[in-house]
Amino acid sequence: MISTALLDLDGTLTDPIEGISHALDRAAQAVGLGPLTQAQHRAGIGPPLADVLADLGVPQDRVEEGIHAYRAFYGETGYLENRLYDGVLDALAALRDVGVRLVLATSKPEPYARRIVEHFGVAPYLEHVAGATLDGTVATKADVIARALSAVDVAAGPGVVMVGDRAHDVRGAAEHGIACVGAAWGYGEPGELLDAGAVALADSPADLVDVLRALGDGSR
């Protein structure tokens, strides 16, 4: 029986491409990079921001400058340039109704994550919101998962599953011995989730309910 589902935010509950693209453009401009491509925007969804900027070629001594420019835009405007994926609230309601505890575990800084889930009506379905810290002391997905589990007093084990759309969700969960179900509707590249070790893929939020039920009864 799956008792607790840890949920990613970007690319899993919401499609944040517009706001993140605009914020990354601000960061790139601040550190002197040229215009970013659509592929670079997409690659920026999910991983910790410092890693994203490093992958874009931002020198280490200018990463903080890029982060500041990104957050100056995202914290005011970018977080609203977002949309819920179709069927997300119905899926969350269905999981909650069968007794699954729902906990957000996102690499996005927690203050922004809270604003997003409150603005888009997700907060009532969640037992807790765990995210990265603005000071960088909690940054990796494994760090966030540890923070989430501690907050709801749940031990990692077979009754806990991570749901996310990128490889770092899978790997972060694996560091705690937790299985990960891939959100195939998100921003992972073809094969990314299964190659990283996801135990199953859900094709849509509605499909997620059936996938978690099957995992819980051992049929997957």
Side-chain angles (χ1 to χ4, degrees):
M1 173 66 179
I2 300 299
S3 59
T4 304
L6 305 177
L7 305 169
D8 179 45
L9 180 59
D10 289 345
T12 301
L13 301 184
T14 69
D15 183 351
I17 186 65
E18 183 179 358
I20 285 179
S21 295
H22 290 159
L24 284 174
D25 287 342
R26 301 307 196 279
Q29 183 177 22
V31 299
L33 294 183
L36 301 181
T37 66
Q38 184 180 38
Q40 288 173 316
H41 288 150
R42 286 179 60 91
I45 296 175
L49 181 55
D51 294 346
V52 171
L53 295 179
D55 287 344
L56 289 174
V58 177
Q60 187 60 43
D61 62 355
R62 300 198 70 182
V63 166
E64 283 301 318
E65 184 181 352
I67 289 174
H68 177 77
Y70 179 104
R71 288 176 175 169
F73 174 81
Y74 194 85
E76 293 295 325
T77 303
Y79 79 96
L80 294 172
E81 296 178 338
N82 207 334
R83 72 170 185 88
L84 281 179
Y85 285 110
D86 293 341
V88 160
L89 295 185
D90 289 340
L92 297 182
L95 290 169
R96 187 184 62 179
D97 288 349
V98 296
V100 178
R101 301 171 70 181
L102 304 174
V103 181
L104 196 74
T106 174
S107 297
K108 185 179 294 298
E110 195 169 295
Y112 301 157
R114 289 186 180 278
R115 291 183 209 172
I116 290 167
V117 297
E118 290 167 4
H119 181 79
F120 290 96
V122 178
Y125 298 92
L126 302 173
E127 186 169 332
H128 185 74
V129 172
T133 55
L134 291 168
D135 65 4
T137 56
V138 175
T140 69
K141 198 66 183 210
D143 291 342
V144 171
I145 289 172
R147 185 177 176 91
L149 294 174
S150 175
V152 295
D153 195 25
V154 169
V160 181
V161 68
M162 179 75 213
V163 180
D165 70 309
R166 300 299 307 273
H168 74 279
D169 296 308
V170 185
R171 296 180 183 127
E175 289 190 42
H176 294 278
I178 296 171
C180 184
V181 170
W185 62 88
Y187 282 86
E189 296 296 325
E192 175 180 335
L193 290 160
L194 292 178
D195 289 348
V199 297
L201 297 181
D203 293 326
S204 68
D207 185 42
L208 178 62
V209 179
D210 292 334
V211 170
L212 292 189
R213 184 179 294 116
L215 281 176
D217 64 22
S219 58
R220 276 186 184 256

